[in-house]
Short mmCIF file of all heavy atoms in Angstrom, two decimals:
data_model
loop_
_atom_site.label_atom_id
_atom_site.label_comp_id
_atom_site.label_asym_id
_atom_site.label_seq_id
_atom_site.Cartn_x
_atom_site.Cartn_y
_atom_site.Cartn_z
N HIS A 50 1.04 10.87 10.49
CA HIS A 50 0.66 11.34 11.75
C HIS A 50 1.67 12.20 12.40
O HIS A 50 2.94 11.82 12.31
CB HIS A 50 0.16 10.17 12.70
CG HIS A 50 -0.37 10.59 14.02
ND1 HIS A 50 -1.63 11.01 14.19
CD2 HIS A 50 0.19 10.59 15.26
CE1 HIS A 50 -1.86 11.38 15.41
NE2 HIS A 50 -0.78 11.11 16.04
N TYR A 51 1.23 13.23 13.06
CA TYR A 51 2.21 14.27 13.71
C TYR A 51 1.84 14.30 15.08
O TYR A 51 0.76 14.58 15.55
CB TYR A 51 2.04 15.49 13.06
CG TYR A 51 2.98 16.55 13.45
CD1 TYR A 51 4.35 16.52 13.48
CD2 TYR A 51 2.58 17.89 13.97
CE1 TYR A 51 5.24 17.46 13.79
CE2 TYR A 51 3.41 18.91 14.28
CZ TYR A 51 4.78 18.69 14.35
OH TYR A 51 5.54 19.65 14.71
N ARG A 52 2.86 14.13 15.98
CA ARG A 52 2.64 14.09 17.42
C ARG A 52 3.92 14.32 18.16
O ARG A 52 5.07 14.46 17.58
CB ARG A 52 2.09 12.80 17.78
CG ARG A 52 2.86 11.44 17.49
CD ARG A 52 2.65 10.40 18.39
NE ARG A 52 3.16 10.61 19.78
CZ ARG A 52 2.53 10.33 20.92
NH1 ARG A 52 1.33 9.78 20.85
NH2 ARG A 52 3.16 10.55 22.16
N LYS A 53 3.90 14.38 19.52
CA LYS A 53 5.07 14.50 20.47
C LYS A 53 6.00 13.28 20.38
O LYS A 53 5.47 12.06 20.15
CB LYS A 53 4.66 14.70 21.79
CG LYS A 53 4.01 16.04 22.14
CD LYS A 53 3.73 16.25 23.60
CE LYS A 53 3.00 17.46 24.01
NZ LYS A 53 2.70 17.59 25.36
N THR A 54 7.29 13.41 20.32
CA THR A 54 8.19 12.27 20.30
C THR A 54 8.07 11.47 21.65
O THR A 54 8.15 10.20 21.51
CB THR A 54 9.58 12.71 20.11
OG1 THR A 54 9.74 13.61 18.94
CG2 THR A 54 10.60 11.68 20.03
N GLU A 55 7.81 12.15 22.71
CA GLU A 55 7.67 11.34 23.99
C GLU A 55 6.54 10.47 23.90
O GLU A 55 5.38 10.80 23.62
CB GLU A 55 7.40 12.40 25.18
CG GLU A 55 7.33 11.80 26.46
CD GLU A 55 7.04 12.76 27.56
OE1 GLU A 55 7.04 13.99 27.30
OE2 GLU A 55 6.82 12.27 28.72
N GLY A 56 6.80 9.11 24.17
CA GLY A 56 5.82 8.17 24.06
C GLY A 56 5.35 7.77 22.69
O GLY A 56 4.45 6.88 22.51
N VAL A 57 6.11 8.06 21.68
CA VAL A 57 5.74 7.67 20.34
C VAL A 57 5.81 6.24 20.19
O VAL A 57 5.03 5.61 19.32
CB VAL A 57 6.70 8.47 19.38
CG1 VAL A 57 8.10 7.93 19.33
CG2 VAL A 57 6.10 8.28 17.96
N GLU A 58 6.73 5.38 20.67
CA GLU A 58 6.85 4.17 20.40
C GLU A 58 5.63 3.29 20.93
O GLU A 58 5.19 2.39 20.31
CB GLU A 58 8.16 3.44 21.01
CG GLU A 58 9.40 4.01 20.34
CD GLU A 58 10.62 3.36 20.90
OE1 GLU A 58 10.57 2.84 21.97
OE2 GLU A 58 11.66 3.68 20.33
N ASP A 59 5.13 3.71 22.14
CA ASP A 59 3.99 3.08 22.70
C ASP A 59 2.75 3.29 21.87
O ASP A 59 1.87 2.52 21.66
CB ASP A 59 3.73 3.59 24.12
CG ASP A 59 4.73 3.21 25.17
OD1 ASP A 59 5.34 2.05 24.80
OD2 ASP A 59 5.04 3.74 26.15
N TYR A 60 2.72 4.60 21.24
CA TYR A 60 1.62 4.95 20.42
C TYR A 60 1.59 4.06 19.15
O TYR A 60 0.53 3.58 18.68
CB TYR A 60 1.68 6.50 20.10
CG TYR A 60 0.58 6.84 19.08
CD1 TYR A 60 -0.74 7.24 19.59
CD2 TYR A 60 0.90 6.87 17.74
CE1 TYR A 60 -1.60 7.74 18.71
CE2 TYR A 60 -0.01 7.30 16.83
CZ TYR A 60 -1.39 7.75 17.37
OH TYR A 60 -2.38 8.18 16.46
N ILE A 61 2.87 3.90 18.52
CA ILE A 61 2.86 3.11 17.31
C ILE A 61 2.47 1.73 17.68
O ILE A 61 1.66 1.07 16.91
CB ILE A 61 4.35 3.10 16.90
CG1 ILE A 61 4.70 4.57 16.22
CG2 ILE A 61 4.53 2.09 15.70
CD1 ILE A 61 6.04 4.64 15.88
N TYR A 62 2.82 1.03 18.79
CA TYR A 62 2.33 -0.34 19.13
C TYR A 62 0.95 -0.31 19.30
O TYR A 62 0.29 -1.36 18.74
CB TYR A 62 3.13 -0.77 20.34
CG TYR A 62 2.65 -2.14 20.78
CD1 TYR A 62 3.04 -3.26 20.03
CD2 TYR A 62 1.92 -2.27 21.86
CE1 TYR A 62 2.63 -4.53 20.41
CE2 TYR A 62 1.44 -3.59 22.21
CZ TYR A 62 1.84 -4.74 21.59
OH TYR A 62 1.41 -6.04 21.92
N GLU A 63 0.38 0.64 19.81
CA GLU A 63 -1.15 0.65 20.19
C GLU A 63 -1.96 0.91 18.89
O GLU A 63 -3.05 0.25 18.72
CB GLU A 63 -1.46 1.86 21.12
CG GLU A 63 -2.96 1.98 21.52
CD GLU A 63 -3.20 3.16 22.42
OE1 GLU A 63 -2.20 3.67 22.93
OE2 GLU A 63 -4.43 3.31 22.57
N LYS A 64 -1.45 1.78 17.99
CA LYS A 64 -2.34 2.13 16.82
C LYS A 64 -1.87 1.35 15.54
O LYS A 64 -2.56 1.42 14.55
CB LYS A 64 -2.22 3.54 16.66
CG LYS A 64 -2.61 4.42 17.79
CD LYS A 64 -4.13 4.23 18.10
CE LYS A 64 -4.60 5.20 19.11
NZ LYS A 64 -5.99 5.03 19.42
N ALA A 65 -0.69 0.51 15.49
CA ALA A 65 -0.39 -0.06 14.20
C ALA A 65 -1.44 -0.84 13.58
O ALA A 65 -1.96 -1.74 14.30
CB ALA A 65 0.93 -0.79 14.44
N GLY A 66 -1.71 -0.76 12.46
CA GLY A 66 -2.65 -1.68 11.74
C GLY A 66 -4.12 -1.23 11.88
O GLY A 66 -4.94 -1.83 11.40
N THR A 67 -4.33 -0.10 12.51
CA THR A 67 -5.64 0.51 12.57
C THR A 67 -5.90 1.63 11.62
O THR A 67 -4.83 1.95 10.82
CB THR A 67 -5.92 1.01 14.09
OG1 THR A 67 -5.21 2.17 14.26
CG2 THR A 67 -5.50 -0.07 15.13
N GLN A 68 -7.06 2.17 11.64
CA GLN A 68 -7.27 3.35 10.71
C GLN A 68 -6.48 4.56 11.10
O GLN A 68 -6.27 5.41 10.24
CB GLN A 68 -8.81 3.64 10.79
CG GLN A 68 -9.22 4.05 12.27
CD GLN A 68 -10.71 4.54 12.33
OE1 GLN A 68 -11.23 4.94 11.19
NE2 GLN A 68 -11.33 4.40 13.43
N PHE A 69 -5.80 4.58 12.26
CA PHE A 69 -5.14 5.70 12.55
C PHE A 69 -3.66 5.63 12.13
O PHE A 69 -3.02 6.61 12.10
CB PHE A 69 -5.07 5.82 14.13
CG PHE A 69 -6.52 6.08 14.72
CD1 PHE A 69 -7.10 5.07 15.26
CD2 PHE A 69 -7.06 7.31 14.61
CE1 PHE A 69 -8.48 5.22 15.83
CE2 PHE A 69 -8.46 7.41 15.02
CZ PHE A 69 -9.09 6.44 15.76
N LEU A 70 -3.13 4.42 11.72
CA LEU A 70 -1.67 4.27 11.49
C LEU A 70 -1.43 3.06 10.69
O LEU A 70 -1.58 1.95 11.14
CB LEU A 70 -0.88 4.14 12.81
CG LEU A 70 0.51 4.74 12.86
CD1 LEU A 70 0.53 6.19 12.47
CD2 LEU A 70 1.14 4.54 14.21
N TYR A 71 -1.34 3.26 9.43
CA TYR A 71 -0.92 2.29 8.47
C TYR A 71 0.01 2.74 7.37
O TYR A 71 -0.05 3.82 7.15
CB TYR A 71 -2.34 1.59 7.92
CG TYR A 71 -3.16 2.65 7.32
CD1 TYR A 71 -3.03 3.04 5.92
CD2 TYR A 71 -4.20 3.25 8.02
CE1 TYR A 71 -3.80 4.17 5.42
CE2 TYR A 71 -4.92 4.25 7.38
CZ TYR A 71 -4.80 4.63 6.17
OH TYR A 71 -5.60 5.55 5.46
N PRO A 72 0.72 1.90 6.70
CA PRO A 72 0.93 0.40 6.87
C PRO A 72 1.71 0.15 8.24
O PRO A 72 2.31 0.95 8.72
CB PRO A 72 1.77 -0.14 5.70
CG PRO A 72 2.53 1.27 5.37
CD PRO A 72 1.69 2.42 5.76
N PRO A 73 1.55 -1.31 8.61
CA PRO A 73 0.87 -2.37 8.05
C PRO A 73 -0.67 -2.10 8.24
O PRO A 73 -1.13 -1.39 8.96
CB PRO A 73 1.30 -3.47 8.91
CG PRO A 73 1.62 -2.81 10.16
CD PRO A 73 2.24 -1.60 9.91
N THR A 74 -1.40 -2.95 7.39
CA THR A 74 -2.81 -2.72 7.36
C THR A 74 -3.50 -3.75 8.37
O THR A 74 -4.69 -3.62 8.68
CB THR A 74 -3.39 -3.02 6.03
OG1 THR A 74 -2.99 -4.41 5.61
CG2 THR A 74 -3.02 -2.03 5.02
N ASP A 75 -2.82 -4.74 8.96
CA ASP A 75 -3.41 -5.57 9.98
C ASP A 75 -2.57 -5.55 11.20
O ASP A 75 -1.35 -5.59 11.17
CB ASP A 75 -3.47 -7.06 9.32
CG ASP A 75 -4.34 -7.17 8.24
OD1 ASP A 75 -5.39 -6.65 8.15
OD2 ASP A 75 -3.80 -7.88 7.15
N PHE A 76 -3.25 -5.46 12.31
CA PHE A 76 -2.59 -5.35 13.56
C PHE A 76 -2.04 -6.73 13.96
O PHE A 76 -2.65 -7.80 13.76
CB PHE A 76 -3.59 -5.02 14.70
CG PHE A 76 -2.85 -4.98 16.15
CD1 PHE A 76 -1.93 -4.03 16.33
CD2 PHE A 76 -3.15 -5.98 16.98
CE1 PHE A 76 -1.35 -4.08 17.61
CE2 PHE A 76 -2.47 -5.94 18.27
CZ PHE A 76 -1.67 -5.02 18.49
N ASP A 77 -0.96 -6.86 14.49
CA ASP A 77 -0.24 -8.04 14.95
C ASP A 77 0.38 -7.83 16.38
O ASP A 77 1.10 -6.89 16.61
CB ASP A 77 0.89 -8.37 13.86
CG ASP A 77 1.40 -9.82 14.25
OD1 ASP A 77 1.39 -10.31 15.30
OD2 ASP A 77 2.06 -10.36 13.35
N GLU A 78 -0.13 -8.74 17.25
CA GLU A 78 0.35 -8.62 18.69
C GLU A 78 1.88 -8.60 18.86
O GLU A 78 2.55 -8.27 19.75
CB GLU A 78 -0.33 -9.48 19.56
CG GLU A 78 -1.77 -9.29 19.71
CD GLU A 78 -2.51 -10.30 20.72
OE1 GLU A 78 -1.71 -11.13 21.20
OE2 GLU A 78 -3.67 -10.14 21.00
N ASP A 79 2.54 -9.29 17.75
CA ASP A 79 3.98 -9.48 17.80
C ASP A 79 4.62 -8.40 16.97
O ASP A 79 5.76 -8.55 16.60
CB ASP A 79 4.35 -10.90 17.34
CG ASP A 79 3.88 -11.99 18.16
OD1 ASP A 79 3.87 -11.71 19.45
OD2 ASP A 79 3.58 -13.02 17.69
N PHE A 80 3.86 -7.32 16.72
CA PHE A 80 4.43 -6.21 15.85
C PHE A 80 5.85 -5.73 16.30
O PHE A 80 6.69 -5.55 15.46
CB PHE A 80 3.56 -4.99 15.82
CG PHE A 80 4.05 -3.83 15.13
CD1 PHE A 80 3.90 -3.70 13.81
CD2 PHE A 80 4.58 -2.71 15.88
CE1 PHE A 80 4.47 -2.66 13.14
CE2 PHE A 80 5.04 -1.70 15.16
CZ PHE A 80 5.04 -1.60 13.81
N ASP A 81 5.90 -5.59 17.55
CA ASP A 81 7.27 -5.07 18.13
C ASP A 81 8.42 -6.03 17.99
O ASP A 81 9.58 -5.77 18.12
CB ASP A 81 7.05 -4.46 19.58
CG ASP A 81 6.64 -5.50 20.52
OD1 ASP A 81 6.03 -6.54 20.15
OD2 ASP A 81 6.80 -5.35 21.74
N LYS A 82 8.05 -7.30 17.76
CA LYS A 82 8.94 -8.35 17.86
C LYS A 82 9.31 -8.78 16.37
O LYS A 82 10.47 -9.34 16.13
CB LYS A 82 8.42 -9.64 18.55
CG LYS A 82 8.18 -9.36 20.05
CD LYS A 82 7.71 -10.67 20.76
CE LYS A 82 7.33 -10.43 22.23
NZ LYS A 82 6.77 -11.45 22.87
N ARG A 83 8.43 -8.50 15.51
CA ARG A 83 8.63 -8.85 14.04
C ARG A 83 9.68 -8.00 13.44
O ARG A 83 10.34 -8.48 12.41
CB ARG A 83 7.35 -8.79 13.35
CG ARG A 83 6.40 -9.89 13.56
CD ARG A 83 5.10 -9.49 12.97
NE ARG A 83 5.25 -9.34 11.43
CZ ARG A 83 4.33 -8.76 10.67
NH1 ARG A 83 3.23 -8.32 11.21
NH2 ARG A 83 4.56 -8.71 9.34
N TRP A 84 9.85 -6.85 13.96
CA TRP A 84 10.71 -5.86 13.26
C TRP A 84 11.96 -5.54 14.04
O TRP A 84 11.93 -5.23 15.24
CB TRP A 84 9.94 -4.56 12.89
CG TRP A 84 8.74 -4.74 12.02
CD1 TRP A 84 7.53 -5.02 12.65
CD2 TRP A 84 8.54 -4.82 10.73
NE1 TRP A 84 6.62 -5.19 11.63
CE2 TRP A 84 7.08 -5.07 10.41
CE3 TRP A 84 9.45 -4.67 9.62
CZ2 TRP A 84 6.74 -5.29 9.15
CZ3 TRP A 84 8.99 -4.79 8.27
CH2 TRP A 84 7.57 -4.98 8.13
N GLU A 85 13.08 -5.45 13.34
CA GLU A 85 14.33 -4.96 14.00
C GLU A 85 14.47 -3.52 13.37
O GLU A 85 14.20 -3.24 12.17
CB GLU A 85 15.57 -5.75 13.60
CG GLU A 85 15.52 -7.19 14.07
CD GLU A 85 15.70 -7.19 15.60
OE1 GLU A 85 16.27 -6.28 16.17
OE2 GLU A 85 15.26 -8.20 16.26
N TRP A 86 14.85 -2.63 14.17
CA TRP A 86 14.81 -1.13 13.70
C TRP A 86 16.26 -0.63 13.55
O TRP A 86 17.18 -0.88 14.41
CB TRP A 86 13.96 -0.36 14.72
CG TRP A 86 12.64 -0.87 14.83
CD1 TRP A 86 12.15 -1.70 15.79
CD2 TRP A 86 11.63 -0.60 14.05
NE1 TRP A 86 10.77 -1.89 15.60
CE2 TRP A 86 10.41 -1.29 14.46
CE3 TRP A 86 11.35 0.26 12.88
CZ2 TRP A 86 9.05 -1.13 13.89
CZ3 TRP A 86 10.04 0.39 12.21
CH2 TRP A 86 8.95 -0.39 12.96
N ASP A 87 16.43 0.19 12.56
CA ASP A 87 17.63 1.07 12.38
C ASP A 87 17.28 2.47 12.48
O ASP A 87 16.11 2.91 12.33
CB ASP A 87 18.16 0.94 10.96
CG ASP A 87 18.99 -0.45 10.81
OD1 ASP A 87 19.26 -1.11 11.81
OD2 ASP A 87 19.06 -0.78 9.62
N GLU A 88 18.27 3.31 13.14
CA GLU A 88 17.90 4.65 13.26
C GLU A 88 19.25 5.44 13.00
O GLU A 88 20.34 4.96 13.33
CB GLU A 88 17.39 4.99 14.64
CG GLU A 88 18.21 4.53 15.83
CD GLU A 88 17.56 4.96 17.14
OE1 GLU A 88 16.38 4.45 17.34
OE2 GLU A 88 18.11 5.78 17.93
N ASP A 89 19.16 6.56 12.27
CA ASP A 89 20.34 7.40 11.96
C ASP A 89 19.87 8.78 12.28
O ASP A 89 18.88 9.31 12.00
CB ASP A 89 20.59 7.30 10.47
CG ASP A 89 21.23 5.98 10.18
OD1 ASP A 89 22.42 5.69 10.52
OD2 ASP A 89 20.46 5.08 9.69
N GLU A 90 20.97 9.65 12.72
CA GLU A 90 20.79 11.02 12.92
C GLU A 90 21.33 11.82 11.74
O GLU A 90 22.28 11.34 11.14
CB GLU A 90 21.54 11.46 14.21
CG GLU A 90 20.92 10.99 15.50
CD GLU A 90 21.55 11.49 16.72
OE1 GLU A 90 22.46 12.19 16.57
OE2 GLU A 90 21.02 11.14 17.82
N VAL A 91 20.54 12.80 11.31
CA VAL A 91 20.85 13.50 10.15
C VAL A 91 20.97 15.02 10.46
O VAL A 91 20.02 15.63 11.16
CB VAL A 91 19.93 13.35 8.96
CG1 VAL A 91 20.35 14.14 7.79
CG2 VAL A 91 19.76 11.89 8.59
N LEU A 92 22.05 15.69 10.03
CA LEU A 92 22.22 17.12 10.34
C LEU A 92 21.84 17.95 9.05
O LEU A 92 22.31 17.55 8.02
CB LEU A 92 23.73 17.39 10.76
CG LEU A 92 24.06 18.82 11.34
CD1 LEU A 92 23.37 18.87 12.79
CD2 LEU A 92 25.54 18.91 11.58
N ILE A 93 21.12 18.88 9.22
CA ILE A 93 20.57 19.72 8.17
C ILE A 93 20.92 21.25 8.34
O ILE A 93 20.60 21.76 9.40
CB ILE A 93 19.10 19.51 7.93
CG1 ILE A 93 18.79 17.99 7.58
CG2 ILE A 93 18.63 20.49 6.73
CD1 ILE A 93 17.22 17.78 7.53
N ARG A 94 21.62 21.86 7.49
CA ARG A 94 21.94 23.27 7.47
C ARG A 94 21.30 23.97 6.29
O ARG A 94 21.36 23.49 5.30
CB ARG A 94 23.45 23.47 7.48
CG ARG A 94 24.22 22.76 8.68
CD ARG A 94 25.72 23.28 8.60
NE ARG A 94 26.35 22.53 9.69
CZ ARG A 94 27.09 21.51 9.68
NH1 ARG A 94 27.07 20.75 8.53
NH2 ARG A 94 27.77 21.01 10.69
N GLY A 95 20.88 25.28 6.71
CA GLY A 95 20.29 26.04 5.53
C GLY A 95 20.46 27.54 6.08
O GLY A 95 20.56 27.91 7.15
N ASP A 96 20.11 28.57 4.99
CA ASP A 96 20.38 29.81 5.33
C ASP A 96 19.39 30.71 4.52
O ASP A 96 19.50 31.81 4.31
CB ASP A 96 21.87 30.33 4.93
CG ASP A 96 22.12 30.05 3.43
OD1 ASP A 96 21.33 29.61 2.71
OD2 ASP A 96 23.23 30.52 3.09
#
Side-chain angles (χ1 to χ4, degrees):
H50 185 72
Y51 183 56
R52 56 154 291 138
K53 292 181 179 179
T54 302
E55 182 181 0
V57 68
E58 293 180 353
D59 292 336
Y60 177 85
I61 290 174
Y62 177 72
E63 178 184 350
K64 300 295 185 181
T67 69
Q68 61 178 332
F69 300 103
L70 210 59
Y71 55 83
T74 54
D75 297 316
F76 177 74
D77 188 337
E78 292 184 356
D79 294 328
F80 173 79
D81 59 337
K82 300 177 182 178
R83 287 175 54 195
W84 304 91
E85 296 291 335
W86 302 93
D87 284 340
E88 56 182 63
D89 289 281
E90 294 184 358
V91 180
L92 194 64
I93 299 173
R94 297 185 181 92
D96 59 3

